[in-house]
Amino acid sequence: MTKPHLSVRGLHKWYGSVHALRGLDLDIPQGQVIGLIGDNGAGKSTFIKILSGVHKQTEGQIFFEGKEAHIARPRDAMNLGIETIYQYTAMVPEMSIARNVFIGREKRKWGVRGFGMLDHAAMAEEAMAAIADVGLHLRSADAPVKDLSGGQRQGVAIARAMHFRSRMLILDEPTNHLSVKETNKVLEYVRQMREQGITVIFISHNLHHVHEVSDRIVAFSRGNKVADLLSEETTVPHMIDLIT
Amino acid sequence: MHFKKMLQTKPEASAFLMLMAMTFVFSLLSPTFLTLGNFQIVLQPIPEIALVAIGVTILMISGEFDLSVGSVFALSPMVMVLLMAAGFPLPVSMIGGLVVAALVGLANAFITIRLGIPSFIATLGMLFMARSMTVVISDGFPPPFPRDLDLWWIVGKVDLLRVSVFWLLGIGILLGIWLRKFDFGSWIFATGGSQESARNMGINVNLVKTTTFMLCSMLAGFAGMIQVFRIKAIVPSMGTGYELTAIAATVIGGAALAGGVGSVIGAVIGALLLAFIENIIILTRVDANWFRFAVGAIIVIAVTINKMTRDVAARAKYKEVEDD
């Protein structure tokens, strides 16, 4: 087996007296789509929040691309090339598409981060190019994100991750509340990313979507990993058995 | 289409239309309304209330609320006057007053962010505490305001206007540019628009909110100083009720209570609207007690118009052009 893209060893997370993650060991291979499944409270969200820098693990180590990674803040994760797209909190609805693509990583005409003049023209242009690169065609980068459909928002968030050359993408319930057509489009994005060698962690309650798009299935239950299988080795009914 | 787009993207658009309509109607109601002499009177207190409203607006864009601005409006200049009475020069005394205002903002931020108390409650507490401190430090009898100060640079008269109007213009333009054209301004909108999204994208939302809390308090303190300079006296009760006027101006100006929407120019237009209403009630000799009624009505009307125009604009929805 090739070197894993990301490994965690002995990962624990306590929220007060709640033991949410109980000594997780996991290897995620490079360039594959990993379907992460588990019932509510299984520890999926805790795991991805640690990887994306929203929470810090209580104990344990993370290795990314062979080196130990210390992820204390979302920016640390993004700097490593780990980008997380949350179900509801990936975008600021009132803000324009261009601003959303560059939130926190704005292009400046001059100045330093925190006190710099925005380069609106460059941001609009690059946002449009990034969106076109994932095969989404929007009329203008100035439209507010609230005017986009759920699938379009996923497209813009994925375009953002691609634009910043993320090497690992974590998708949290990306197909929730989407129409069939839009769901297919999002699954298509996931396949596109695998073709480009990006590792994808795909989290969903919809086991059919997970099974359809993933190379491997990792199942969590009660704060730990209970299965790590090739997708071909399992079926949706089997997956249901694993997590319940 | 263009008009609809403007209504949707410019939060102050409907307030501006209301201001125009009111100017027209009021000029019919009273021939004095549209005269230079009257505007001189109307504009006198505008910089003070508009500066407070700008601070409240920027804070509201970041998703928080400040009810303590009326008290800081008194506390900050009181500190300044007491420092002057103790023999400090004016610039040092002003800085002292502004530092106290900044500390109040920092305390508001700390209570809201670290202790997790809603800012409405946190700053309601501060409203009482800051007002109490104003009375306590002045011992009930504030020192007389020094008469021999040269205050032309801040409240002097230039033709019909006071210099303070130019301070408002300068500060308003700078903060407007900061909000719209600078990365930090973008973070303020992102933080108020969706705090979780902003945090997930690596924005330090606590820093953003602490900044807007402190800016809001300092603008209130500075505005209070302008009023003290203008009337050349200080009373511990000054600015009582200004928090509600400032919030009214902010909301009329198109800012959303939930955060993420608003503009500096909207705050100024909101302050102007309120001043116009007060003025026409005086000019037409309507019972002055109707003023509060008019303010209340205008808040409801303005917010309703804002909502309606946004709904209309949203119906002219942006559509994707799929190429497959």
Side-chain angles (χ1 to χ4, degrees):
Chain A
M1 190 171 150
T2 52
K3 248 186 168 178
H5 196 185
L6 180 135
S7 310
V8 298
R9 289 290 174 267
L11 212 59
H12 284 271
K13 177 68 187 178
W14 289 85
Y15 293 106
S17 62
V18 179
H19 203 176
L21 220 50
R22 304 172 180 229
L24 176 70
D25 296 324
L26 181 63
D27 291 316
I28 289 175
Q30 171 90 46
Q32 294 192 8
V33 179
I34 310 299
L36 186 55
I37 59 171
D39 212 346
N40 291 343
K44 304 183 304 267
S45 301
T46 304
F47 178 56
I48 63 163
K49 277 179 179 155
I50 291 170
L51 291 188
S52 61
V54 174
H55 293 318
K56 184 114 176 71
Q57 72 267 30
T58 319
E59 223 178 274
Q61 290 171 296
I62 303 170
F63 299 91
F64 187 72
E65 297 178 345
K67 277 183 291 208
E68 183 164 9
H70 298 279
I71 306 172
R73 305 173 299 162
R75 272 174 67 77
D76 296 338
M78 290 195 256
N79 289 341
L80 285 172
I82 304 174
E83 185 108 0
T84 308
I85 301 176
Y86 286 97
Q87 184 182 358
Y88 297 114
T89 54
M91 301 268 157
V92 180
E94 291 284 349
M95 292 174 81
S96 73
I97 294 166
R99 281 193 184 233
N100 265 291
V101 168
F102 287 94
I103 281 179
R105 292 180 285 200
E106 290 81 1
K107 290 195 94 69
R108 287 175 285 272
K109 283 183 190 153
W110 51 262
V112 293
R113 185 171 194 275
F115 192 83
M117 178 79 95
L118 295 171
D119 191 343
H120 285 292
M123 289 198 292
E125 195 180 309
E126 290 186 23
M128 286 309 276
I131 291 163
D133 279 347
V134 299
L136 185 64
H137 292 271
L138 302 174
R139 209 174 286 156
S140 151
D142 294 328
V145 160
K146 66 177 175 184
D147 287 356
L148 300 180
S149 71
Q152 289 171 331
R153 288 184 201 197
Q154 286 292 338
V156 172
I158 288 167
R160 174 170 70 190
M162 305 296 280
H163 179 77
F164 287 101
R165 310 208 171 283
S166 305
R167 294 190 296 280
M168 175 176 283
L169 195 64
I170 302 170
L171 298 172
D172 179 28
E173 298 283 358
T175 55
N176 245 22
H177 305 303
L178 294 190
S179 66
V180 175
K181 187 169 167 235
E182 290 206 312
T183 298
N184 289 336
K185 186 104 190 173
V186 168
L187 297 181
E188 187 52 43
Y189 290 142
V190 174
R191 289 186 196 102
Q192 271 177 35
M193 278 181 286
R194 181 178 42 195
E195 278 164 30
Q196 295 180 37
I198 295 167
T199 308
V200 179
I201 300 179
F202 187 97
I203 296 143
S204 180
H205 278 105
N206 189 319
L207 301 181
H208 295 278
H209 295 164
V210 176
H211 192 255
E212 186 185 336
V213 83
S214 303
D215 299 300
R216 294 190 78 84
I217 307 285
V218 173
F220 277 19
S221 180
R222 295 191 188 83
N224 216 331
K225 183 180 79 179
V226 291
D228 186 351
L229 312 155
L230 282 174
S231 201
E232 298 100 69
E233 296 169 357
T234 182
T235 57
V236 171
H238 180 222
M239 286 158 71
I240 294 172
D241 286 342
L242 285 174
I243 61 173
T244 48
Chain B
M1 271 319 273
H2 189 75
F3 183 67
K4 272 183 190 166
K5 199 178 168 191
M6 186 191 79
L7 281 177
Q8 191 184 22
T9 54
K10 299 251 181 276
E12 69 279 2
S14 50
F16 181 73
L17 293 178
M18 271 170 53
L19 186 74
M20 292 294 106
M22 262 182 208
T23 308
F24 177 71
V25 174
F26 289 178
S27 64
L28 298 180
L29 290 175
S30 164
T32 330
F33 183 73
L34 266 186
T35 59
L36 284 174
N38 186 49
F39 265 79
Q40 187 187 357
I41 295 164
V42 176
L43 286 178
Q44 288 251 21
I46 281 293
E48 296 146 27
I49 192 63
L51 283 171
V52 181
I54 289 172
V56 171
T57 298
I58 294 176
L59 180 64
M60 199 179 279
I61 295 172
S62 77
E64 298 295 346
F65 217 69
D66 190 352
L67 289 173
S68 68
V69 285
S71 300
V72 174
F73 189 89
L75 175 64
S76 177
M78 184 62 82
V79 170
M80 174 188 76
V81 170
L82 287 170
L83 286 174
M84 280 196 285
F88 290 97
L90 177 67
V92 177
S93 307
M94 282 186 75
I95 290 169
L98 289 174
V99 167
V100 168
L103 289 175
V104 172
L106 189 63
N108 285 336
F110 178 83
I111 300 168
T112 304
I113 297 164
R114 297 282 165 208
L115 305 184
I117 311 289
S119 54
F120 186 92
I121 304 297
T123 59
L124 179 66
M126 191 55 76
L127 178 155
F128 290 107
M129 290 191 275
R131 179 68 65 189
S132 168
M133 279 192 279
T134 310
V135 180
V136 170
I137 60 171
S138 64
D139 224 2
F141 293 96
F145 189 79
R147 290 264 147 199
D148 50 350
L149 285 175
D150 176 20
L151 294 172
W152 190 88
W153 58 278
I154 187 147
V155 288
K157 286 190 174 130
V158 191
D159 281 332
L160 290 166
L161 299 171
R162 280 190 185 261
V163 177
S164 54
V165 170
F166 297 102
W167 279 88
L168 168 64
L169 277 176
I171 292 173
I173 289 169
L174 283 179
L175 290 177
I177 292 173
W178 185 60
L179 265 187
R180 280 268 151 225
K181 306 279 181 197
F182 278 67
D183 51 1
F184 200 92
S186 213
W187 301 351
I188 294 175
F189 280 96
T191 300
S194 170
Q195 179 164 318
E196 280 309 304
S197 304
R199 185 178 282 143
N200 290 340
M201 292 313 295
I203 292 173
N204 185 341
V205 296
N206 292 349
L207 174 74
V208 168
K209 288 188 173 182
T210 306
T211 306
T212 51
F213 266 118
M214 290 175 74
L215 177 71
C216 177
S217 283
M218 288 173 76
L219 282 172
F222 183 63
M225 288 174 186
I226 292 178
Q227 184 163 96
V228 168
F229 292 150
R230 178 166 65 87
I231 61 182
K232 298 200 167 43
I234 183 159
V235 282
S237 63
M238 67 185 280
T240 304
Y242 269 36
E243 57 282 337
L244 296 181
T245 315
I247 290 165
T250 294
V251 171
I252 291 168
L257 219 53
V261 181
S263 69
V264 168
I265 182 79
V268 177
I269 291 173
L272 274 173
L273 249 168
L274 294 176
F276 279 14
I277 296 169
E278 189 170 18
N279 180 248
I280 197 67
I281 285 175
I282 295 165
L283 288 179
T284 51
R285 297 176 193 207
V286 173
D287 181 348
N289 290 314
W290 281 105
F291 174 62
R292 280 164 202 274
F293 182 91
V295 170
I298 220 72
I299 292 172
V300 175
I301 293 169
V303 175
T304 309
I305 293 179
N306 272 337
K307 184 179 156 39
M308 277 161 50
T309 49
R310 273 182 208 144
D311 288 350
V312 168
R315 241 171 275 142
K317 209 177 170 180
Y318 184 81
K319 287 213 168 50
E320 180 192 7
V321 189
E322 293 259 24
D323 68 339
D324 54 1

